[in-house]
Amino acid sequence: MFALRAGNHETILESRVYWSRQAALDAVETLRKSSQNLNNFIRHETSDGTHFFEVRDGQSQMLARSPGCASKSGLTAGI
């Protein structure tokens, strides 16, 4: 798996688990391409009001997920 961290070392998103290093590296490249299209960012809100997003590829497969945010504005900043 891999994680994307901000300059302050805060985690922005974490990937799912991959079975090989090469598969994870391929997913990083796919994430780079997928992140250019805002339609690949799927926003969610849990029952307790926590917000998070997932980044999906062109086949709607989840590549990575953000940690929970308390606000929609924090979610938007993460995206």
Side-chain angles (χ1 to χ4, degrees):
M1 74 182 284
F2 59 87
L4 177 65
R5 300 193 194 284
N8 64 358
H9 305 289
E10 182 179 346
T11 299
I12 297 172
L13 56 87
E14 291 182 336
S15 75
R16 62 184 184 86
V17 175
Y18 294 93
W19 295 106
S20 71
R21 177 177 171 79
Q22 188 59 51
L25 292 171
D26 292 345
V28 168
E29 186 58 33
T30 301
L31 179 64
R32 283 185 182 136
K33 292 175 184 175
S34 296
S35 67
Q36 301 306 306
N37 183 346
L38 287 178
N39 292 327
N40 292 329
F41 289 83
I42 311 301
R43 299 168 187 240
H44 299 279
E45 182 176 358
T46 63
S47 60
D48 68 354
T50 302
H51 301 271
F52 69 94
F53 66 88
E54 295 177 343
V55 183
R56 297 183 178 259
D57 65 9
Q59 288 84 33
S60 296
Q61 184 176 11
M62 197 270 292
L63 298 168
R65 179 181 170 173
S66 72
C69 301
S71 68
K72 287 184 181 179
S73 62
L75 183 73
T76 300
I79 291 173

